[in-house]
Amino acid sequence: MIRHIALLKLTPDDDDRRAERLAEMQQRLGALVGVVPGLRRMTVEPDVALTADNWDLAIVTDHDDQAAFDVYEADPTHAEASAWIHQFVVDRAAVDFEIDH
């Protein structure tokens, strides 16, 4: 199984607008589970500490294998959700690794 972790720093915004955007990001990405083949789980959660040094959003996905992750990366529904989200992203970090499950 492949686990993908992405951390996002988002454009600064007021608290109400930020909460709306984060909820929309969770909805758009969460909708991919059951749609993209081989995508087993997805967690999309905002940082709760809200400190300047922390990343604003964590996305964790689990995929059957590398081929399934490649399908996820190329999937048009994922591309559409990512394009919408990335208009609010100022920095991104990611790591992909194998897990036993």
Side-chain angles (χ1 to χ4, degrees), residues 8-22 25 50-52 54-57 85-91:
L8 306 180
K9 286 238 184 209
L10 306 175
T11 54
D13 213 338
D14 66 73
D15 289 343
D16 290 339
R17 185 69 183 133
R18 175 186 169 84
E20 289 173 12
R21 282 192 183 146
L22 288 168
M25 290 174 188
L50 299 176
T51 60
N54 284 9
W55 294 87
D56 296 310
L57 185 70
I85 289 167
H86 279 274
Q87 67 182 320
F88 307 111
V89 173
V90 295
D91 202 2

Side-chain angles (χ1 to χ4, degrees), residues 34-57:
V35 172
V36 179
L39 173 60
R40 294 294 161 218
R41 280 177 288 290
M42 179 177 291
T43 304
V44 181
E45 294 296 334
D47 176 54
V48 296
L50 299 176
T51 60
D53 291 340
N54 284 9
W55 294 87
D56 296 310
L57 185 70

